Amino acid sequence: MSSTMRGEAPGPKILPFGARAGPAALKIDNYSRARGTGGVPRGSPKMGSEYGLFIDGTWTTPPKATRFETTNPATGETVGTFVAGTADDVRRATEAAARAFPSWRETPAPKRGEVLLEVARRMRAAKSELGRLVTREMGKVISEGLGDVQEAIDFVEYMAGEGRRLFGETVPSELRSKFCLTVRQPKGVVACITPWNFPTAIPNWKIAAALVTGNTVVFKPASATARCAAEIVQLYADAGVPPGVLNLVTGAGGTVGNALVDDPHVRTVSFTGGVDTGREVYVRGAQGLKMVHLELGGKNPVIVMDDADLPLALEGVLFGAFGTAGQRCTATSRLVLHEKVFERFLGMLVDRLDRFLVGDPLDPATGMGPVASLDQERKILAYIEVGKKEAKLRYGGEKLTGGAYDRGHFVRPTIFETKHGTRISKEEIFGPVLSVIRVGSYEEAVRVANDVDYGLSSSIYTRDVNLAFRAIQDLEAGITYVNAPTIGAEVQLPFGGVKNTGNGGREAGSAAVEEFTEIKTVFVDFSSRLQKAQIDSETAA
Ligand code: NAD
């Protein structure tokens, strides 16, 4: 497979994917044609690879619409072209969602769950095509592209079950002949704004949770992965989601995103993205006193103690740091390494990277594909230049060029040895760049791990059970792994972070229901007389 290695610089062996004409064309058109007839939307999602907006159950292209395209970051090929939505388009979408809301909220929740089960079934049937589309549009390797879709399927199935579990509480009254309970109610029109790094999983986390709880949705995906978004929306429509319940408006964050957050129909904004955008969305949403749920960045540490199982930790750090080319909010971007194993472990890491294949993400042998876009490439390379000035480069540190690499955005996996406190050790890079920080004790490791603005994921490798439990208690993060990498969320558990990673909400698990429901408190007095809480309670005994 990798006999033609490019060995000009110290670094990983490179997969010679230039030998290939390019990734095989995705057969998504066939799968789209094979759609069933239940709940078939009016219109077509696309003409060739041209996609419209999906509003009120119809694919539409507004007159005089301007278009943008998405490209394969490995090859530069066009993946699709999309409408750059306007504030008017957003208004039409939110109006459609508001019109659809009364009927959808009255649809019994188990029935809404059944529609989601059908979505999951169709997504499973389309998994391999969708996985390839994720890889083509975003660049993660094919196993991770398929994993992205699997996570979406898992979550939609999980949420389908929530349709039979939207529990409230029954609570005792302080008065006689009085019954107190809570019920969950949908919020109304929900805006779901998503990033490009999990182009099927993250939208489904939001959409499935919002729909099963009875809300209607306007979905604004990241522009870089608009085709994944369009195909997902089509699946929901095919599965029987009624017109207006799920709408898609593609386009720029500053136009479509702002209009959505400002829109008076929208009561809740569920946002995943960068911290600067999240802050802007939060401030804007506050003007309308909206609930704004934020899932933002991370600077996630793995602590490797001197008693750790080093080969196990090695696999975890590699996957955590360079999986999805480091473009996960939970990516391992800091290795907090005990001084007693420092050189040994770093040596193992560098040695392993020498056999780590970077190249065609559709080839199952590839360890890491391209970064997602030219913007990503520029940002990551700029951070690498910062790192070269403030830290010691131990591996990589450059763009990959020559042959097929010149068609895409390939960055060599990069390792810096750095003191804690440098920019590269504290700022989110969101790329395949690992900062390694030497520490002398558990206490120092935790101090370093916690001394960043973010708090999403964290991990410790140790064989000491007491240290493991101390770390669970001490690490300031929404997620802590023991003897596992910082990535690996499962949909039945809550997901989210502390500090600048968010504003307190959680996605996934049953916690996702909280985000999309209001709690109504109900008092039923069957005493047939006026009873006064707090006032009559002393005489109620
Ligand atoms: P981004 O903030 O640039 O964009 C996210 C989304 O917001 C996109 O759809 C974008 O078009 C939209 N947007 C941009 N400006 C907007 C505005 N003014 N109003 C409303 N929407 C606007 O983020 P990105 O580059 O797509 O994603 C990378 C970031 O996402 C990283 O920081 C990563 O850590 C974070 N992320 C967090 C999680 C999590 O669950 N915590 C998961 C994945 C990614």
Side-chain angles (χ1 to χ4, degrees):
M1 169 64 65
S2 53
S3 54
T4 356
M5 299 293 184
R6 297 158 31 87
E8 59 271 32
K13 303 292 188 289
I14 307 301
L15 197 67
F17 79 103
R20 209 173 269 186
L26 187 72
K27 295 202 179 62
I28 201 108
D29 293 356
N30 296 341
Y31 120 70
S32 294
R33 272 199 291 274
R35 290 190 298 264
T37 50
V40 172
R42 296 185 294 282
S44 158
K46 55 193 175 286
M47 296 287 290
S49 63
E50 288 193 357
Y51 291 72
L53 307 174
F54 191 67
I55 298 176
D56 209 6
T58 305
W59 290 97
T60 58
T61 297
K64 298 190 196 146
T66 54
R67 290 195 157 268
F68 65 94
E69 66 172 26
T70 65
T71 52
N72 182 332
T75 64
E77 65 163 341
T78 300
V79 177
T81 77
F82 306 88
V83 172
T86 61
D88 268 356
D89 299 326
V90 168
R91 189 182 37 73
R92 285 190 301 118
T94 59
E95 284 172 1
R99 278 195 305 275
F101 177 60
S103 154
W104 185 242
R105 75 170 278 173
E106 279 172 20
T107 303
K111 292 277 172 230
R112 298 193 297 251
E114 279 171 25
V115 177
L116 290 188
L117 273 185
E118 179 60 15
V119 172
R121 194 188 66 72
R122 285 169 182 265
M123 219 180 286
R124 197 182 287 283
K127 179 179 168 183
S128 66
E129 285 104 326
L130 274 175
R132 286 175 67 83
L133 175 59
V134 169
T135 293
R136 279 182 65 215
E137 197 168 45
M138 183 273 161
K140 60 176 74 174
V141 292
I142 186 65
S143 59
E144 295 183 21
L146 292 166
D148 196 313
V149 178
Q150 188 59 49
E151 190 171 335
I153 295 166
D154 293 345
F155 187 71
V156 175
E157 278 179 357
Y158 180 82
M159 270 297 131
E162 284 299 318
R164 292 191 180 268
R165 269 193 307 265
L166 291 178
F167 298 138
E169 290 181 304
T170 54
V171 183
S173 170
E174 62 188 45
L175 295 166
R176 289 167 184 258
S177 302
K178 193 171 173 191
F179 191 68
C180 311
L181 68 149
T182 64
V183 291
R184 290 192 176 275
Q185 298 194 318
K187 295 194 164 186
V189 178
V190 167
C192 297
I193 304 178
T194 59
W196 43 262
N197 67 331
F198 276 83
T200 64
I202 291 178
N204 278 287
W205 279 27
K206 296 184 188 301
I207 293 167
L211 293 191
V212 80
T213 45
N215 303 281
T216 54
V217 171
V218 181
F219 169 33
K220 185 251 171 284
S223 295
T225 48
R227 182 157 174 183
C228 288
E231 296 296 345
I232 288 167
V233 166
Q234 182 67 57
L235 274 169
Y236 275 77
D238 290 346
V241 169
V245 170
L246 173 60
N247 306 274
L248 171 75
V249 184
T250 47
T255 309
V256 175
N258 282 351
L260 259 181
V261 178
D262 287 344
D263 192 285
H265 292 294
V266 172
R267 293 308 312 150
T268 284
V269 179
S270 180
F271 174 88
T272 300
V275 70
D276 292 337
T277 322
R279 189 175 284 116
E280 199 182 326
V281 168
Y282 204 17
V283 168
R284 197 172 266 275
Q287 303 306 314
L289 300 178
K290 301 184 185 196
M291 215 292 270
V292 179
H293 176 127
L294 302 172
E295 295 287 342
L296 309 175
K299 190 70 185 174
N300 313 292
V302 163
I303 297 173
V304 176
M305 293 302 297
D306 52 342
D307 69 340
D309 176 340
L310 294 187
L312 178 71
L314 176 67
E315 295 307 317
V317 170
L318 264 178
F319 184 45
F322 304 117
T324 320
Q327 302 164 117
R328 292 187 183 223
C329 51
T330 52
T332 303
S333 50
R334 294 181 296 150
L335 169 58
V336 182
L337 189 51
H338 197 283
E339 61 190 5
K340 285 193 188 150
V341 292
F342 192 86
E343 282 305 332
R344 191 168 143 222
F345 191 74
L346 209 45
M348 287 165 71
L349 200 51
V350 165
D351 181 54
R352 188 68 170 67
L353 277 180
D354 273 339
R355 286 174 284 115
F356 190 71
L357 301 175
V358 180
D360 178 2
L362 284 169
D363 189 321
T366 302
M368 192 178 101
V371 299
S373 62
L374 180 59
D375 280 353
Q376 272 297 99
E377 180 190 302
R378 285 187 178 139
K379 186 178 150 218
I380 293 162
L381 291 176
Y383 265 114
I384 287 175
E385 289 314 305
V386 169
K388 284 177 180 169
K389 293 196 183 83
E390 62 180 8
K392 185 171 167 192
L393 181 66
R394 296 288 301 249
Y395 197 85
E398 64 192 337
K399 176 176 164 58
L400 287 162
T401 55
Y405 292 116
D406 290 341
R407 291 159 60 203
H409 309 294
F410 293 89
V411 176
R412 223 182 263 283
T414 295
I415 298 180
F416 284 106
E417 178 183 343
T418 178
K419 287 192 174 11
H420 171 62
T422 53
R423 280 186 64 196
I424 57 163
S425 72
K426 297 195 82 168
E427 296 175 19
E428 185 185 48
I429 299 174
F430 218 55
V433 180
L434 178 67
S435 292
V436 188
I437 305 158
R438 185 190 300 257
V439 291
S441 64
Y442 167 81
E443 287 73 17
E444 189 186 359
V446 167
R447 214 165 36 246
V448 164
N450 287 343
D451 186 29
V452 289
D453 291 336
Y454 297 102
L456 181 50
S457 188
S458 57
S459 154
I460 184 165
Y461 281 83
T462 179
R463 289 183 166 112
D464 180 335
V465 68
N466 289 351
L467 271 195
F469 273 87
R470 278 176 67 189
I472 293 168
Q473 183 178 279
D474 295 343
L475 287 170
E476 294 171 1
I479 304 166
T480 295
Y481 291 87
V482 175
N483 293 328
T486 52
I487 64 181
E490 296 183 34
V491 301
Q492 67 278 20
L493 287 133
F495 182 94
V498 300
K499 302 198 274 192
N500 284 2
T501 293
N503 57 351
R506 291 291 181 269
E507 285 192 300
S510 52
V513 165
E514 314 280 332
E515 187 183 352
F516 295 110
T517 50
E518 299 281 5
I519 290 182
K520 172 172 276 191
T521 306
V522 181
F523 298 99
V524 182
D525 191 321
F526 51 98
S527 69
S528 300
R529 63 192 175 88
L530 173 65
Q531 299 196 87
K532 298 177 190 148
Q534 292 89 43
I535 295 169
D536 290 347
S537 49
E538 280 184 18
T539 57

